[in-house]
Each structure stands twice: as structure tokens, then as C-alpha cells.
Amino acid sequence: HLKRMRRLYARRQASFVKLCEAHLGDWISIGENDSGMQLLARFKKPMRDGDVVAAAMKEGLDIQGISINYHSTPPEHGLLLGYAALDERQVLRAILALRAAFQRLDHDHFRSN
């Protein structure tokens, strides 16, 4: 069972990373890792993860910023993105929703400048 699940999660992770690169590459960089069911997404330009989390919530997504985990040093901003519990259709839907959130943030930033 464990071998089968590891293979399944490895395939899901590889697919998730490819889709993120294709649809979210303007905003984040993300890479595969050997463990866990979440991946760290780092912003390619200065952004506050709280703003991204709030915009994602408006798109129906529940994602986690990493800055909340910093207590004594200046926080890094980024996202923890889960992929393991979703099938391919759900992953694509979530990635496109996150893309819409990033696009809205870009639009709002452009309008305010």
C-alpha cells in the first residue's frame, strides 16, 4: 500500500509542479521535493502572502502563507500549496483560481500606482 501511495503522490506532485509552472510561473517558483504532501511556492516579485491568501479566499481557495510561521526574524513570504488530496481536474481548477487571484492583485496594484 505504501509503495502504491508513494507512486501516486509522486505522479500528482510532478503534474502539480508542471501545471503551476505553466499557469503560475509569472508569480511563483515551485519545485518538487521527496516528502510531504505540500510544496513551498516562493514569490518571484515582492508580495505579501497575506494579500495572496485573502485574494485566493475570494476565489474559493484555502491556502496558507508561510510568513505566519516566523516569530523572531523578518518573515519570508510565500505559500504552502497542497496537492495530494486533489485529482487532476480539481488541481487544474485550483491553479486557475489561484491564477485569477494573482491577476486581480496585479490589476489592483496597477490601478493604485
Side-chain angles (χ1 to χ4, degrees):
H1 173 74
L2 288 177
K3 284 181 185 180
R4 186 169 47 90
M5 295 311 292
R6 283 188 182 125
R7 284 192 303 268
L8 172 68
Y9 290 149
R11 284 192 306 271
R12 284 185 180 175
Q13 184 182 103
S15 175
F16 182 76
V17 168
K18 274 187 185 178
L19 287 169
C20 284
E21 289 170 348
H23 296 284
L24 303 172
D26 290 345
W27 299 279
I28 63 171
S29 62
I30 190 167
E32 295 182 38
N33 70 34
D34 293 336
S35 63
M37 294 185 276
Q38 295 177 316
L39 295 175
L40 175 62
R42 289 191 160 87
F43 297 133
K44 290 186 171 180
K45 52 188 170 183
M47 302 182 91
R48 291 175 30 88
D49 54 21
D51 296 339
V52 178
V53 168
M57 286 182 74
K58 291 179 182 176
E59 298 294 331
L61 296 176
D62 181 18
I63 59 175
Q64 181 181 344
I66 64 169
S67 66
I68 63 171
N69 297 308
Y70 287 76
H71 298 288
S72 62
T73 61
E76 179 180 349
H77 287 265
L79 304 171
L80 277 180
L81 302 176
Y83 62 88
L86 306 174
D87 65 31
E88 273 190 55
R89 193 172 71 229
Q90 293 169 317
V91 166
L92 181 58
R93 195 174 326 138
I95 288 172
L96 293 176
L98 185 53
R99 179 185 176 101
F102 278 120
Q103 288 171 330
R104 182 170 347 113
L105 287 171
D106 282 351
H107 180 262
D108 292 349
H109 181 264
F110 178 74
R111 283 184 21 188
S112 68
N113 286 332

